[in-house]
Amino acid sequence: MASSGHGSGRQEAADRRLRLIAGHLHPRIAASECKAEAAESDPVRAKTVPKRRQEVMKWNGWGYSDSRFLFNKKGQAEFTGRRYRLGGLIFPSLKDWFESTFGANLQHKSPPTAALNSSAITPPNLNEPFLQDLKSMGIPHSLEAEDRVFRAHGHCLHEIFALREGRFGRLPDMVVWPNCHDDVVKIVELACQHNACLIPYGGGTSVSSALECPPDEMRSIVSLDTSQMNHILWIDEKNLTAHVEAGIVGQELERLLNESGFCTGHEPDSMEFSTLGGWVATRASGMKKNIYGNIEDLVVHIKMVTPRGVVEKSCQVPRMSTGPDIHHFIMGSEGTLGVVTEVTLKIRPLPEYQKYGSVVFPNFEQGVACLREVAKQRCAPASIRLMDNAQFQFGHALKPQVSSIFTSFLDGLKKFYITKFKGFDTHRLCVATLLFEGDREKVLQHEKQVYDIAAKFGGLAAGEDNGQRGYMLTFVIAYLRDLGMDYYVIGESFETSVPWDRVLDLCRNVKERITRECKERGVQFPPMSTCRVTQTYDAGACVYFYFAFNYRGLADPVHVYEQVEHAAREEILANGGSLSHHHGDTGR
Amino acid sequence: MASRTLYSQRDPALKKRDDFEDILEERRNSSDLKYALKCYMPVLYKGVTPCKPSMIKTMVLQSEQLRYVVTELSKETGEATEVIQGEALAILEEMAHKLHLGTVRFFAYMLNKAFKVLYQRIRVNEDGIQRLQQAIQEHPLVLLPSHRSYMDFLIVSYLLYTNDLALPVIAAGMDFLGMKFVGEMLRMSGAFFIRRSFGGDRLYWAVFSEYVKTILRNGYAPIEFFLEGTRSRTCKSLTPKVGLLSIAMEPFFKGEVFDVSMVPISISYERVLEEALYARELLGVPKPKESTSGLLKARRILSEDYGNIHVYFGQPVSLRSLAQGRINRSQYNLMPRHISRRPGEDVQVFVNDVAYKMVRLQEESMVLRPWVLVATILLQNPHGVEAVWLAEQTAWLRGLAQAFGAFLDWPDHISASRAVASGLALHPNLVRAERGRVRLATEPKGPGARAPEEDLFNHAVTVLSCASYRNQVLHVFLRPALLAMAMDVAPTSRKDDVYSCFGYLRDVFSNEFILCPGAEVQDFDEACFLLTKCSAIQILKQDIVATERGRPTLSFLSAMFQPFLLGYQVVCRYLCEEVAESLPEKSYVAGVRSYAVKRILSGELACLEVLSSDLQKNVLAALLRMGALRKSKAGELVTLRVNKSAINTIENTLGGRVSTQKPVLARL
């Protein structure tokens, strides 16, 4: 008797506790009305990414339709369009670098299929009841082939390669554009009710195959495009937070916050196109994480719609200790658990001053030692990246044509100083690029501290220009991949995080493994296999690899690519690295 | 350089191996001094950070690995770290090499002189040298020569110097340091010295392993060591020691190098310098302590002809490809790499397998001269044979050996009788040819009447020396012979029975011969294949039967291994008959020897090879492994406890007495 009474008491206590926790998770907050409809009629707001992506973006490559690299009639590399600072510039040494690095030849082209042929696309497998209910709710949708193709892929090599060859796998059967959180709730309810399959779609920059439709999926697949949920709902200046809809694209979020004098400081390489919801779902990392933190440090609150209801915390607080943090289940789930609809982020006042910089080291080993010391002293600038020699050469090949004889003379002088006077070997030296942010005075002080450390490791300051060009490379590298693919060159990047003491060994072994595997698999020319250390932490670093090769003479280049990449990842794991630092790899 | 190829081009089956070139030929026609002073600019490992031997020492002393162990020891013993660090430095001073090019040149000069007198030819596979040159640049290198003679130390370095390749750093036993001057000379030509046993000494282990790993990681120089651990007195490959090999593998497992190339090197001597010395040692005359005066006395040997040396540099073996799919390197991720810990089960098994594999590769590329075939036949006919019959028999054995894939240096145009004659000429101390008969040489009876023991002893020296040549060919015949013996011993001719007997024999003899652990099935298949190929056996649905034609072959094979079978039985008999329950380990060898001598003198036993202490020690190891003997330690004294019924069973099974077969099979 006594024991059962005691048992039921405990049961009650447990129930109470559960209810309390559940209360935290399912608050009944009045639904905020959709802002999107109002915005639709707002002509002032120029959208980065329109509903019809095909209007401004490539269907079979990276980025904007008007921006691309090409070799002009004179055989010089050129970047088209006016969106970037590089627009219209000529890159005189890119051709030689390209041909000598890959053994490629401008005569040997591998152009993509010219246009998207809608007739080649299988008609959608529609879930009629779902479609009817959706229509009755007035949520915008599309069954058009082009819309479906755009949302059927991310930017993995195999996905883009297939598109260029005009091959389409399983596509979503329709696309829906919710305008706000409530729309998402309704869509998810409908999908549950009518047994449809939902795939959340943000910026489409995934490199983990998360957007790929399973070929054996029998249900109707609905792509839930969050791009219309792109508003900053409020800014709280007292707590320095902003509540933002998850579909907002990175550059737009930053631009809008800047208008009010704030920023998030979160700048992943894909920030031109990737969305806030995507960052949360893939556990993203930003270039300036040393100041602002990675996404898990930035997020204060997440609202996610799951098939079993909405998940969110009942407060917007910096820390809780009530059991495991639900945010950590959401971050990295890559859309498998639900749709992230709204996020509260930390914001910071815009920095007063920004300064780029660069340091040349005699070799990669010294460079890594310097980064390690910087991390040890916890004085890393907003960003510090160390490129290996191959990547330094690559960056060099991307130097635009100089406007005056004077600049080219100066360049020559610099080169002379570094190689002849300081005795650096051009085939061994490597470059670190730096970005400082903050108060002018503090930045200058900080800069001195970092350069002093660098000097201890044989580093020489190499100017702001080199630094800035290094960061620019990040944004155009994806465009360069498309150029390579026009000339039988395919490649991709992958990344890892690794303890400090293993950085050098891991870099060397992985690069060598790539070279070896390529040779064994019949790749005719040595591949480009290069790396850079892109982030520093207390206990380790993030290393980013670029790997590309000339695939002429290979029957199934993508398969070869995947085998080599698999081997490289195996090597990473064997050397104490992780499967991924920030690309997100639940599917691998 | 004129090359005389080992095999004519017509022999495609044997073309899988490279051709040899004589490197002494050029030396005979040019100045030794010029050679010693030649421009030496070896290619180096591509990732090398050039440094001096002293810098290696500093790196070792400052390594995290060593510092960690020093701190640990200091915590445990309460001694100051400086004191322990000082001890480490002393160990390192004692161990480290001081490669000095001048000394190497001096050695090269002297060796040239000596080699030209001692040997007719030193033949090396040029392709192997080419491959080595390539391999040196790509990955850190481990050279694994076979070990039959002191000469092995010098010859590899000599060849590398001659071919302008990076000189190796060689692991040598501390006993060399006992030789004044010579020890230091060896040190300056690249040897580093390790104590023979340092089981419990953590500091020694740490210094030693870090020294080897530092050299390897930096690609400073190829590392050379002998897997067999010591010179094989019997010319049979010895069971490999894995300690140094596992140290050499660690930088790869921990990702500190991309790969390690291991190069097996087979050095075969037509006549071993230490031949008679070895036989005496095996019979219980202790090995003379290495001393400089001893070396000078050994100059006497300069007046004799030692025939040819063949050195075969094998294909470099990539550790990475061997480890692929077998070793999960991420097991090393969960601890800082400078803390060393006992390798996991999988790693230990892997290292052991690789060690066996490398020794097998050495064996396979050992060049065999016709003389080893002659020695094999003579040992089976201790009372002498007709010279004509000997030539015929040798020719027949040559065919068999070639069918089994032996690496025979016997050009087609040399007739059997010539080949036999040249072999006999080179070994006048072992064989006598008189009046058309050939027999093993025994010392002529002296004027005074000598004790029968002494006679026996002298005869045994000849037999064991001869056996050391036969032993060189055993690996070719081992597997088929085990099958032949299994067919003798097995109760029926059913496949299962033969296989289990084969497995049993293999198990018993696994301390005696190089039999890769866990490869029963492959070995059995190989034996079946080879014997079927020379139509000695037929494999029926259920049974394995000898063919009429094959009987001589099978009985020849059994006879070749008879001394071992007998030896094992004699030891078992000794343990059953003469030992009550236990005996001190120290008195084991002496006990077996006096028991054997007694039985030989009484005429019960004719096999003199039983007297070899090598065989006796192998039996001991086998019996311990099989649980028929058990070691127990009381203070300093190690006693062996005898399990008589187990030993009885082993003896009976080896003797082919079927009654005790059943429990044995159950064991298998």
Side-chain angles (χ1 to χ4, degrees):
Chain A
M1 272 299 276
S3 76
S4 92
H6 179 69
S8 72
R10 212 160 59 184
Q11 187 70 42
E12 259 171 44
D15 283 346
R16 216 166 38 237
R17 201 169 154 70
L18 265 180
R19 271 197 306 277
L20 199 71
I21 294 171
H24 279 306
L25 294 181
H26 298 281
R28 278 167 295 278
I29 293 172
S32 59
E33 74 222 59
C34 289
K35 283 210 175 180
E37 278 117 74
E40 206 68 43
S41 54
D42 180 3
V44 187
R45 238 189 108 193
K47 291 268 198 54
T48 326
V49 181
K51 215 159 143 183
R52 289 178 57 80
R53 299 173 77 87
Q54 48 271 44
E55 284 165 10
V56 294
M57 297 182 70
K58 296 196 192 80
W59 66 277
N60 60 357
W62 180 261
Y64 302 110
S65 311
D66 53 7
S67 304
R68 58 187 289 251
F69 278 99
L70 52 80
F71 287 113
N72 62 24
K73 291 200 180 81
K74 284 193 261 171
Q76 285 172 315
E78 188 182 325
F79 193 68
T80 62
R82 287 161 179 275
R83 291 180 190 263
Y84 295 87
R85 282 177 55 192
L86 295 179
L89 290 184
I90 301 277
F91 306 90
S93 43
L94 189 61
K95 171 174 171 270
D96 284 346
W97 175 84
F98 184 71
E99 291 189 334
S100 62
T101 306
F102 297 106
N105 189 316
L106 296 199
Q107 311 308 318
H108 298 139
K109 287 201 72 171
S110 51
T113 33
L116 205 168
N117 180 4
S118 308
S119 60
I121 290 160
T122 43
N125 161 30
L126 290 181
N127 183 329
E128 282 300 337
F130 178 85
L131 187 58
Q132 290 315 317
D133 284 357
L134 194 74
K135 275 182 183 161
S136 69
M137 287 174 183
I139 296 174
H141 69 273
S142 161
L143 304 176
E144 265 180 56
E146 280 196 3
D147 288 329
R148 291 166 53 212
V149 167
F150 261 85
R151 285 157 189 86
H153 65 85
H155 281 271
C156 292
L157 175 73
H158 68 271
E159 292 170 326
I160 300 299
F161 198 87
L163 287 177
R164 286 172 62 93
E165 291 196 328
R167 283 186 284 122
F168 308 101
R170 175 83 157 92
L171 302 181
D173 299 297
M174 62 184 292
V175 181
V176 291
W177 285 274
N179 283 314
C180 60
H181 170 79
D182 287 347
D183 283 358
V184 177
V185 173
K186 286 179 205 155
I187 294 168
V188 171
E189 266 171 15
L190 276 187
C192 290
Q193 189 186 335
H194 299 298
N195 193 27
C197 167
L198 283 183
I199 298 183
Y201 180 93
T205 56
S206 159
V207 283
S208 57
S209 302
L211 291 173
E212 227 175 278
C213 300
D216 52 357
E217 179 57 69
M218 301 304 288
R219 293 171 296 177
S220 175
I221 299 178
V222 179
S223 179
L224 189 153
D225 185 330
T226 59
S227 63
Q228 304 313 300
M229 300 163 52
N230 52 15
H231 304 89
I232 297 177
L233 298 177
W234 46 255
I235 292 175
D236 177 348
E237 298 193 10
K238 289 194 195 75
N239 294 306
L240 284 178
T241 52
H243 192 66
V244 188
E245 286 184 313
I248 194 162
V249 171
Q251 55 169 318
E252 196 161 293
L253 171 63
E254 222 49 20
R255 199 188 68 224
L256 293 175
L257 283 176
N258 290 358
E259 282 169 11
S260 339
F262 294 103
C263 67
T264 62
H266 185 70
E267 295 186 9
D269 292 353
S270 60
M271 71 173 289
E272 289 176 276
F273 305 106
S274 57
T275 61
L276 172 58
W279 301 339
V280 171
T282 59
R283 212 174 254 274
S285 168
M287 179 182 95
K288 299 193 286 195
K289 73 96 194 153
N290 291 336
I291 293 182
Y292 301 97
N294 288 319
I295 196 73
E296 67 269 22
D297 310 309
L298 284 166
V299 159
V300 175
H301 184 266
I302 301 172
K303 203 188 257 188
M304 180 168 82
V305 181
T306 79
R308 310 290 299 272
V310 177
V311 177
E312 65 178 319
K313 293 185 187 174
S314 63
C315 49
Q316 312 232 14
V317 294
R319 185 174 192 270
M320 287 163 77
S321 72
T322 46
D325 191 338
I326 53 156
H327 286 173
H328 286 285
F329 289 99
I330 298 172
M331 285 185 288
S333 63
E334 300 198 12
T336 55
L337 301 181
V339 185
V340 175
T341 54
E342 287 169 20
V343 179
T344 309
L345 284 172
K346 297 182 197 167
I347 54 173
R348 299 288 306 164
L350 268 176
E352 179 194 320
Y353 187 59
Q354 243 193 2
K355 192 172 182 191
Y356 288 97
S358 65
V359 182
V360 191
F361 291 98
N363 55 45
F364 192 63
E365 290 77 8
Q366 294 279 60
V368 171
C370 173
L371 259 62
R372 205 278 161 268
E373 185 59 30
V374 166
K376 198 188 245 169
Q377 297 192 18
R378 291 203 172 162
C379 64
S383 167
I384 177 165
R385 287 176 173 179
L386 179 75
M387 300 188 263
D388 70 357
N389 184 266
Q391 224 165 95
F392 160 75
Q393 309 274 3
F394 181 20
H396 220 67
L398 276 174
K399 247 183 174 172
Q401 200 162 34
V402 285
S403 39
S404 75
I405 298 175
F406 184 66
T407 357
S408 97
F409 173 73
L410 260 185
D411 279 349
L413 212 61
K414 267 188 238 160
K415 193 179 165 190
F416 179 81
Y417 175 72
I418 286 175
T419 60
K420 294 291 182 314
F421 193 72
K422 282 286 171 181
F424 284 22
D425 178 353
T426 31
H427 295 288
R428 300 202 60 196
L429 62 79
C430 70
V431 176
T433 56
L434 311 166
L435 172 61
F436 298 91
E437 249 185 45
D439 299 348
R440 192 185 165 86
E441 219 164 283
K442 274 189 191 147
V443 163
L444 295 177
Q445 206 182 339
H446 193 177
E447 194 186 15
K448 185 174 179 308
Q449 188 186 6
V450 172
Y451 281 114
D452 284 350
I453 293 174
K456 280 189 207 146
F457 295 90
L460 295 173
E464 283 184 66
D465 252 19
N466 282 319
Q468 195 162 11
R469 208 174 39 249
Y471 289 101
M472 174 201 73
L473 191 70
T474 335
F475 289 99
V476 296
I477 185 81
Y479 286 105
L480 272 168
R481 180 169 88 174
D482 289 341
L483 177 74
M485 284 169 106
D486 288 339
Y487 297 93
Y488 288 98
V489 172
I490 52 175
E492 194 158 32
S493 59
F494 50 92
E495 34 67 61
T496 181
S497 61
V498 56
W500 276 115
D501 70 316
R502 293 170 192 260
V503 170
L504 284 176
D505 288 331
L506 181 133
C507 292
R508 181 196 57 238
N509 290 350
V510 171
K511 286 194 276 187
E512 173 117 25
R513 177 81 182 259
I514 288 173
T515 310
R516 227 196 220 203
E517 293 281 338
C518 280
K519 198 170 168 191
E520 273 167 25
R521 294 175 204 287
V523 176
Q524 307 284 320
F525 301 92
M528 174 172 92
S529 159
T530 145
C531 69
R532 66 167 183 249
V533 181
T534 59
Q535 289 293 4
T536 64
Y537 292 87
D538 288 349
C542 165
V543 181
Y544 206 98
F545 291 93
Y546 285 138
F547 151 49
F549 63 89
N550 181 339
Y551 69 84
R552 288 196 75 210
L554 293 181
D556 190 349
V558 171
H559 183 62
V560 169
Y561 171 83
E562 279 167 357
Q563 283 179 316
V564 177
E565 194 197 304
H566 180 80
R569 281 185 194 279
E570 194 185 87
E571 193 61 35
I572 287 175
L573 294 180
N575 282 276
S578 65
L579 213 44
S580 173
H581 168 261
H582 60 268
H583 278 175
D585 279 83
T586 49
R588 286 189 202 271
Chain B
M1 201 187 280
S3 77
R4 199 187 295 174
T5 51
L6 186 58
Y7 295 107
S8 62
Q9 300 294 325
R10 283 175 288 129
D11 207 347
L14 290 163
K15 265 320 273 183
K16 63 178 179 183
R17 294 195 179 92
D18 311 328
D19 295 335
F20 284 89
E21 283 180 39
D22 177 19
I23 58 138
L24 279 189
E25 194 173 296
E26 196 187 335
R27 298 278 76 80
R28 290 189 205 279
N29 301 325
S30 63
S31 152
D32 285 342
L33 197 62
K34 214 167 124 188
Y35 160 79
L37 296 175
K38 77 185 180 118
C39 168
Y40 172 71
M41 290 282 282
V43 286
L44 298 171
Y45 170 53
K46 64 176 180 206
V48 74
T49 31
C51 61
K52 297 201 179 67
S54 59
M55 278 165 73
I56 295 276
K57 276 198 243 175
T58 320
M59 285 162 90
V60 173
L61 285 176
Q62 290 175 353
S63 67
E64 277 182 310
Q65 283 81 343
L66 190 59
R67 287 212 312 258
Y68 175 76
V69 173
V70 167
T71 322
E72 288 288 296
L73 285 174
S74 151
K75 269 187 226 157
E76 282 167 29
T77 61
E79 248 179 302
T81 50
E82 291 77 27
V83 177
I84 301 176
Q85 192 80 30
E87 283 170 31
L89 179 64
I91 293 173
L92 198 56
E93 289 293 341
E94 176 192 78
M95 175 160 34
H97 80 95
K98 293 180 190 147
L99 191 66
H100 178 249
L101 197 57
T103 317
V104 173
R105 291 186 193 278
F106 171 75
F107 257 113
Y109 179 78
M110 297 297 285
L111 285 178
N112 248 335
K113 294 279 183 215
F115 283 162
K116 283 194 285 193
V117 176
L118 285 172
Y119 298 107
Q120 295 168 13
R121 280 181 291 268
I122 296 178
R123 304 174 74 190
V124 182
N125 63 330
E126 279 294 312
D127 295 348
I129 297 276
Q130 299 287 328
R131 286 192 297 254
L132 204 59
Q133 179 150 23
Q134 201 61 42
I136 281 177
Q137 295 172 56
E138 278 172 11
H139 302 295
L141 206 61
V142 174
L143 302 176
L144 300 169
S146 59
H147 203 10
R148 302 286 173 270
S149 165
Y150 278 142
M151 218 35 118
D152 299 327
F153 272 107
L154 308 170
I155 202 141
V156 174
S157 300
Y158 172 78
L159 290 174
L160 295 186
Y161 174 77
T162 307
N163 286 287
D164 219 17
L165 293 174
L167 286 168
V169 172
I170 313 159
M174 196 65 105
D175 21 5
F176 277 107
L177 274 184
M179 304 159 83
K180 275 175 237 152
F181 185 60
V182 171
E184 288 308 310
M185 287 285 285
L186 284 177
R187 197 195 280 284
M188 287 200 275
S189 55
F192 69 97
F193 297 94
I194 41 181
R195 297 181 190 160
R196 286 259 174 229
S197 59
F198 46 89
D201 192 340
R202 273 166 69 196
L203 185 65
Y204 192 87
W205 177 262
V207 173
F208 163 58
S209 66
E210 192 50 29
Y211 184 67
V212 172
K213 285 187 275 185
T214 304
I215 292 175
L216 205 68
R217 276 196 292 259
N218 291 0
Y220 166 78
I223 288 194
E224 175 183 329
F225 61 90
F226 300 102
L227 271 177
E228 296 163 282
T230 180
R231 290 171 300 156
S232 165
R233 271 66 167 169
T234 56
C235 282
K236 257 182 316 143
S237 296
L238 303 178
T239 307
K241 308 269 185 296
V242 294
L244 198 39
L245 187 65
S246 73
I247 291 176
M249 286 183 176
E250 214 182 276
F252 166 72
F253 291 148
K254 290 188 171 174
E256 293 162 340
V257 296
F258 182 76
D259 198 355
V260 172
S261 299
M262 297 176 289
V263 182
I265 304 173
S266 316
I267 310 173
S268 37
Y269 299 90
E270 198 167 4
R271 189 175 160 200
V272 180
L273 281 177
E274 297 100 322
E275 165 190 276
L277 222 58
Y278 285 162
R280 277 168 217 284
E281 206 180 302
L282 289 175
L283 289 169
V285 182
K287 155 184 169 190
K289 202 162 184 281
E290 276 84 3
S291 70
T292 311
S293 62
L295 192 80
L296 291 176
K297 271 180 219 146
R299 277 181 57 215
R300 179 168 54 84
I301 57 175
L302 286 179
S303 56
E304 290 187 41
D305 178 5
Y306 287 86
N308 294 326
I309 301 180
H310 285 91
V311 183
Y312 191 93
F313 287 91
Q315 197 82 40
V317 179
S318 149
L319 174 57
R320 176 174 275 267
S321 24
L322 290 180
Q324 181 73 39
R326 286 202 56 182
I327 299 295
N328 178 9
R329 284 181 287 152
S330 43
Q331 64 183 288
Y332 293 93
N333 291 348
L334 300 179
M335 247 194 176
R337 290 183 292 179
H338 66 264
I339 300 176
S340 67
R341 48 163 193 174
R342 220 180 133 66
E345 185 74 24
D346 59 335
V347 175
Q348 288 179 33
V349 172
F350 173 75
V351 176
N352 200 42
D353 285 356
V354 173
Y356 270 89
K357 186 187 165 75
M358 300 313 286
V359 175
R360 286 281 289 142
L361 288 173
Q362 286 173 1
E363 274 187 335
E364 280 167 12
S365 298
M366 277 295 188
V367 171
L368 303 169
R369 296 284 290 173
W371 160 247
V372 301
L373 304 180
V374 177
T376 309
I377 294 164
L378 282 176
L379 276 174
Q380 289 191 22
N381 303 277
H383 303 296
V385 292
E386 295 289 335
V388 183
W389 183 82
L390 180 62
E392 275 171 21
Q393 194 69 5
T394 309
W396 168 80
L397 188 55
R398 174 199 188 191
L400 190 64
Q402 279 177 342
F404 289 175
F407 196 10
L408 256 186
D409 177 28
W410 186 339
D412 278 340
H413 61 273
I414 307 277
S415 71
S417 50
R418 258 184 72 194
V420 171
S422 80
L424 297 182
L426 202 63
H427 298 275
N429 53 334
L430 298 181
V431 281
R432 297 263 186 285
E434 289 161 338
R435 294 190 296 278
R437 278 185 76 80
V438 180
R439 62 181 174 78
L440 292 184
T442 40
E443 296 286 316
K445 290 233 172 55
R450 278 191 286 180
E453 277 89 357
E454 203 170 328
D455 256 355
L456 174 64
F457 178 81
N458 283 333
H459 190 48
V461 169
T462 313
V463 170
L464 289 186
S465 303
C466 223
S468 76
Y469 292 101
R470 176 211 55 201
N471 285 347
Q472 295 179 18
V473 80
L474 287 184
H475 69 91
V476 175
F477 296 107
L478 174 60
R479 281 146 254 267
L482 283 179
L483 181 55
M485 290 194 286
M487 287 168 68
D488 285 346
V489 176
T492 69
S493 62
R494 285 171 52 85
K495 251 187 212 168
D496 307 354
D497 283 341
V498 175
Y499 176 73
S500 63
C501 280
F502 178 88
Y504 185 75
L505 286 171
R506 201 180 166 283
D507 188 33
V508 170
F509 285 131
S510 59
N511 291 79
E512 194 71 46
F513 307 109
I514 302 300
L515 289 158
C516 301
E520 282 91 358
V521 179
Q522 291 101 295
D523 283 351
F524 185 72
D525 288 348
E526 190 189 319
C528 289
F529 169 75
L530 291 175
L531 284 180
T532 317
K533 191 171 115 185
C534 65
S535 31
I537 59 165
Q538 255 187 324
I539 299 188
L540 307 173
K541 214 166 184 187
Q542 300 267 321
D543 300 72
I544 298 181
V545 293
T547 62
E548 209 42 57
R549 265 181 65 200
R551 287 201 192 279
T553 310
L554 295 180
S555 59
F556 184 88
L557 290 176
S558 298
M560 193 188 291
F561 287 80
Q562 196 63 27
F564 298 99
L565 205 57
L566 275 176
Y568 278 59
Q569 282 173 289
V570 169
V571 175
C572 289
R573 288 286 282 281
Y574 162 72
L575 291 171
C576 286
E577 290 174 12
E578 304 266 309
V579 177
E581 251 181 27
S582 65
L583 78 163
E585 194 188 14
K586 275 185 199 155
S587 60
Y588 164 81
V589 168
V592 175
R593 183 179 297 132
S594 64
Y595 176 77
V597 167
K598 211 164 66 191
R599 296 201 49 190
I600 293 168
L601 288 179
S602 72
E604 283 171 87
L605 185 67
C607 175
L608 297 187
E609 287 186 52
V610 179
L611 296 173
S612 157
S613 62
D614 179 69
L615 181 128
Q616 292 156 1
K617 284 173 190 158
N618 288 336
V619 184
L620 177 62
L623 292 179
L624 283 170
R625 178 171 45 81
M626 297 169 82
L629 288 180
R630 227 173 280 282
K631 264 189 194 179
S632 61
K633 233 178 181 171
E636 285 294 285
L637 192 74
V638 182
T639 5
L640 300 170
R641 305 206 151 275
V642 184
N643 177 348
K644 292 221 172 175
S645 75
I647 291 199
N648 229 329
T649 314
I650 293 172
E651 196 213 336
N652 287 337
T653 317
L654 293 179
R657 277 170 289 255
V658 185
S659 56
T660 52
Q661 196 70 28
K662 288 302 167 207
V664 173
L665 284 180
R667 241 194 103 249
L668 289 167

